[in-house]
Amino acid sequence: MILAQDCLSVFLYFIFLFSRRHGLWFRLRKVILWLLGVYIAIPFLVKLCPAIQAKLVFLNFVRVPYFIDLKRPQDQGLNHTCNYYLQPEEDVTIGVWHTVPAALWKNARGKDQPWFEEALGSTHPVILYLHGNAGTSSLGYHVVTFDYRGWGDSIGSPSERGMTYDALHVFDWIKARSGDNPVYIWGHSLGTGVATNLVRRLCERETPPDALILESPFTNIREEARSHPFSVIYRYFPGFDWFFLDPITTSGIKFANDENVKYISCSLLILHAEDDPVVPFHLGKKLYNIAATSRSFRDYKVQFVPFHTDLGYRHKYIYRSPELPRILREFLGKSEHEHHH
């Protein structure tokens, strides 16, 4: 051990002599001081401008892939998908994609918006998917997904209240066209915060969905921000909460899944990968434990399905699981039975 340290010291000494001889040491020192200055300045900048932290929460300025015409889902090979635009509020327009079940794919080719809207009244359940991969369409569901205000080609400024209202508007739009068909709400990642906000509101007005599915959920935005990979370099910075977490609250962003589940009365399924690097697995498990002991769920099924690290599903690839169709069939079948009894 001592020999290794001596070798390291000699190595660093020669590097120092070499760098100094070539004038690189002084440049390197300037770069290090500059980086240190930026590192210290960022927390103060975030504290003084909470809008910066809000941008980092929503990340709506990141559009990947960028060169896609969202008006034309058929360009992405989605010949069974139609693009709509809805207006939840004045000066707010949201883009919606509606994918029909596999049984209707042939008939859907070349059809216009009225045909797709009428198809919602067919005998297939509907999934309202809040920001995630709509890979469940082949299971026999209509999948309706949309970009919140400020995302994609949707018009408006993002906020928790606004995103929740957008989801409520789309849910009501679906219910007005889907007849007695079951409507399930599926939220992924940040969308789980919108989903529980929405379902809590629906339960309070006594129009709950037939089930709620949360994929890679967190407990609340403060705990998620504290655990997020972006926070690693500042996690032990003095006053981390004051600098980074309080501005989120100041911006009116809570996404309090842990509070919302106490007021939700419908079946709940939570899906989480053990190797999720964005929303830690323990946050999803903690949310499940809160929901499972909540009185609001005493007459409803609450299920937690983990996906082992070896599967490599991480944050956004659970939809690849060959077990997912069976999990959904079993859970949603039981949920529908509970809803009607």
Side-chain angles (χ1 to χ4, degrees):
M1 181 67 180
I2 294 175
L3 181 61
Q5 290 176 343
D6 289 342
C7 290
L8 179 61
S9 298
V10 171
F11 175 75
L12 291 174
Y13 178 73
F14 278 109
I15 289 293
F16 168 74
L17 289 178
F18 178 83
S19 299
R20 187 167 186 178
R21 182 176 299 176
H22 291 78
L24 294 177
W25 168 249
F26 298 103
R27 296 177 194 173
L28 182 62
R29 186 173 63 178
K30 288 176 72 173
V31 170
I32 292 173
L33 289 173
W34 183 82
L35 291 173
L36 182 62
V38 171
Y39 177 79
I40 295 173
I42 285 176
F44 289 94
L45 189 62
V46 170
K47 185 65 179 179
L48 292 172
C49 304
I52 295 175
Q53 189 70 319
K55 284 285 187 183
L56 293 176
V57 170
F58 296 133
L59 289 177
N60 60 299
F61 56 89
V62 178
R63 181 172 166 181
V64 179
Y66 189 81
F67 299 103
I68 282 185
D69 184 355
L70 296 173
K71 299 183 183 68
R72 296 179 53 82
Q74 61 269 30
D75 290 350
Q76 310 307 313
L78 300 175
N79 296 316
H80 42 274
T81 299
C82 185
N83 178 71
Y84 310 142
Y85 289 98
L86 303 180
Q87 190 169 15
E89 296 177 308
E90 189 176 354
D91 299 325
V92 174
T93 303
I94 56 175
V96 180
W97 276 11
H98 171 198
T99 300
V100 296
L104 301 179
W105 283 5
K106 280 189 177 179
N107 294 335
R109 292 189 178 183
K111 297 298 194 300
D112 55 8
Q113 180 172 336
W115 183 91
F116 275 82
E117 290 191 34
E118 186 177 348
L120 283 170
S122 64
T123 57
H124 301 277
V126 184
I127 290 176
L128 171 56
Y129 203 103
L130 302 177
H131 268 211
N133 187 300
T136 53
S137 56
S138 62
L139 300 174
Y141 307 106
H142 290 275
V143 179
V144 177
T145 188
F146 67 96
D147 277 325
Y148 313 111
R149 59 186 71 190
W151 269 266
D153 60 349
S154 296
I155 299 171
S157 299
S159 67
E160 181 173 355
R161 186 208 68 82
M163 293 161 67
T164 303
Y165 190 80
D166 293 345
L168 177 64
H169 183 81
V170 176
F171 178 85
D172 287 340
W173 180 87
I174 292 170
K175 290 296 287 184
R177 292 158 177 77
S178 60
D180 294 328
N181 295 327
V183 178
Y184 310 120
I185 294 175
W186 186 324
H188 172 248
S189 194
L190 185 64
T192 65
V194 180
T196 64
N197 280 348
L198 170 62
V199 176
R200 175 176 176 174
R201 186 163 177 177
L202 293 175
C203 290
E204 287 174 346
R205 76 176 194 185
E206 299 182 354
T207 58
D210 291 88
L212 171 62
I213 302 168
L214 301 178
E215 179 186 353
S216 307
F218 48 86
T219 46
N220 58 70
I221 199 64
R222 285 181 71 99
E223 290 195 356
E224 160 55 13
R226 186 180 290 113
S227 304
H228 198 279
F230 288 165
S231 72
V232 170
I233 60 173
Y234 283 106
R235 199 166 295 161
Y236 302 105
F237 190 88
F240 174 81
D241 284 19
W242 188 78
F243 278 114
F244 291 99
L245 302 186
D246 290 352
I248 298 177
T249 307
T250 301
S251 300
I253 305 171
K254 296 180 179 178
F255 291 115
N257 289 338
D258 50 356
E259 283 299 312
N260 287 338
V261 294
K262 298 174 184 177
Y263 299 91
I264 288 175
S265 299
C266 69
S267 296
L268 171 64
L269 173 64
I270 296 178
L271 310 169
H272 214 132
E274 293 177 352
D275 58 339
D276 190 328
V278 178
V279 180
F281 179 79
H282 72 86
L283 291 184
K285 187 66 174 178
K286 182 177 179 180
L287 182 64
Y288 165 75
N289 290 334
I290 293 171
T293 57
S294 173
R295 293 182 61 188
S296 65
F297 285 104
R298 64 180 179 269
D299 296 326
Y300 299 94
K301 182 179 179 60
V302 179
Q303 184 178 350
F304 183 85
V305 179
F307 293 85
H308 196 271
T309 301
D310 293 345
L311 297 170
Y313 294 150
R314 298 172 67 78
H315 184 60
K316 58 182 181 180
Y317 299 115
I318 287 176
Y319 73 91
R320 294 178 176 176
S321 170
E323 293 297 310
L324 189 59
R326 177 190 59 78
I327 292 168
L328 292 177
R329 276 196 303 269
E330 292 179 1
F331 175 78
L332 295 178
K334 292 177 182 177
S335 299
E336 191 172 345
H337 178 79
E338 289 172 354
H339 184 75
H340 291 293
H341 291 79

